[in-house]
Amino acid sequence: MLEYLRLMVMTRDDIGSKAVKDFDYSRAISSANEAAVLSSVIAAITAQLEKFPNDEAQDVALIADKGLFKTLSKNQRIAVRHRRNEKRLLKRTRAALEKEMVRRGLVGEGLKRAGGDVAGVALDG
């Protein structure tokens, strides 16, 4: 997925005078490109979290209310637990990506573009 996203977020500043097929998409194209890739994944995760009808705290409260939770069918209880776990997984993934961006210096302005260097770059971290 990251290889595809690296291609999709490339700009003319990354490409320079080289052909798109000449780039090694298994490596970071540039710091700016990699920041755009990770930011797009974070945005997708955030959009997915916003699609849920309620937040994780509401699911936790529902599960904690034993009386109400027991009134749900077995399939409903499984679905609530699954929904809560999916939200937790998405939040943890988003947090890990945000931390990785900071660790690799991929936040802020002035990130470099590839300028036609097809070999890719080794980023910090």
Side-chain angles (χ1 to χ4, degrees):
M1 175 177 78
L2 293 180
E3 292 171 349
Y4 173 75
L5 288 173
R6 287 179 181 130
L7 168 65
M8 297 312 299
V9 300
M10 283 180 81
T11 66
R12 291 182 193 266
D13 292 333
D14 284 321
I15 298 168
S17 62
K18 302 293 182 180
V20 172
K21 66 180 175 70
D22 294 333
F23 285 85
D24 179 6
Y25 296 101
S26 65
R27 299 182 52 157
I29 303 300
S30 66
S31 56
N33 178 272
E34 199 69 3
V37 166
L38 296 178
S39 294
S40 68
V41 175
I42 290 168
I45 290 169
T46 300
Q48 189 61 37
L49 283 167
E50 291 171 355
K51 289 181 181 180
F52 286 106
N54 56 3
D55 61 23
E56 182 184 353
Q58 291 170 315
D59 286 341
V60 169
L62 177 60
I63 293 168
D65 185 347
K66 300 297 182 193
L68 178 59
F69 197 61
K70 285 183 180 180
T71 65
L72 301 176
S73 71
K74 181 179 179 181
N75 285 344
Q76 289 172 322
R77 291 191 304 268
I78 291 169
V80 170
R81 285 188 187 109
H82 177 75
R83 182 178 64 200
R84 181 210 51 203
N85 290 339
E86 187 172 340
K87 290 173 191 175
R88 285 182 178 175
L89 179 62
L90 288 168
K91 285 180 178 182
R92 288 177 183 165
T93 301
R94 181 176 60 187
L97 288 171
E98 290 168 344
K99 184 177 178 180
E100 183 69 9
M101 286 183 71
V102 170
R103 189 178 70 78
R104 294 171 75 182
L106 299 175
V107 293
E109 300 294 319
L111 297 174
K112 293 173 63 176
R113 289 286 178 180
D117 182 2
V118 298
V121 294
L123 299 173
D124 293 338

